[in-house]
Amino acid sequence: MSGKKKRKSPILALILSGLLPGLGQLYNKQIYKGLLFFALNIVISYLSYGPFVSFVNSLSSFLDSPPDMSQLPKLLIYSIAATIVVVAAMIDAKMSADRINARSDPK
């Protein structure tokens, strides 16, 4: 068996991280970085759950009273944070796959 590293698909790494932040890093065998992106995604999802449920519940009683918009700013902040984590994970996964491939290519 040769000492050559297997090439990584940058597009596959990007898509995997888009599906679940950290998955592209795991594909690139960057375990700790993948777990970090995954944990960030879980924390943001957990924090946004309360405001999301509150906002949806207020919308469901829309016919009785105006919706409670007090949770909307929190929901917006968490949505922006989640988007940043997903985009950062996607960019990192693609760039890491490119770097792995550059190191494995013979000069």
Side-chain angles (χ1 to χ4, degrees):
M1 186 178 223
S2 69
K4 202 169 147 183
K5 290 182 181 178
K6 187 176 177 188
R7 290 186 55 82
K8 300 291 181 181
S9 168
I11 298 301
L12 179 58
L14 181 129
I15 290 170
L16 289 172
S17 277
L19 293 173
L20 181 65
L23 203 53
Q25 285 73 17
L26 294 176
Y27 166 75
N28 288 334
K29 302 207 183 321
Q30 297 174 312
I31 306 302
Y32 293 120
K33 195 188 296 186
L35 292 175
L36 175 67
F37 276 115
F38 183 71
L40 281 172
N41 188 45
I42 294 295
V43 167
I44 291 170
S45 297
Y46 177 76
L47 291 173
S48 66
Y49 179 74
F52 177 74
V53 170
S54 175
F55 183 69
V56 169
N57 286 339
S58 75
L59 288 178
S60 66
S61 63
F62 181 68
L63 296 176
D64 300 332
S65 61
D68 176 21
M69 298 298 212
S70 65
Q71 296 298 318
L72 199 55
K74 281 184 189 176
L75 196 55
L76 183 61
I77 290 168
Y78 293 135
S79 297
I80 291 169
T83 301
I84 290 170
V85 168
V86 170
V87 170
M90 290 172 70
I91 291 170
D92 176 74
K94 183 192 179 305
M95 291 176 66
S96 293
D98 286 335
R99 280 193 301 272
I100 290 167
N101 290 339
R103 282 188 297 231
S104 69
D105 286 341
K107 305 260 180 208

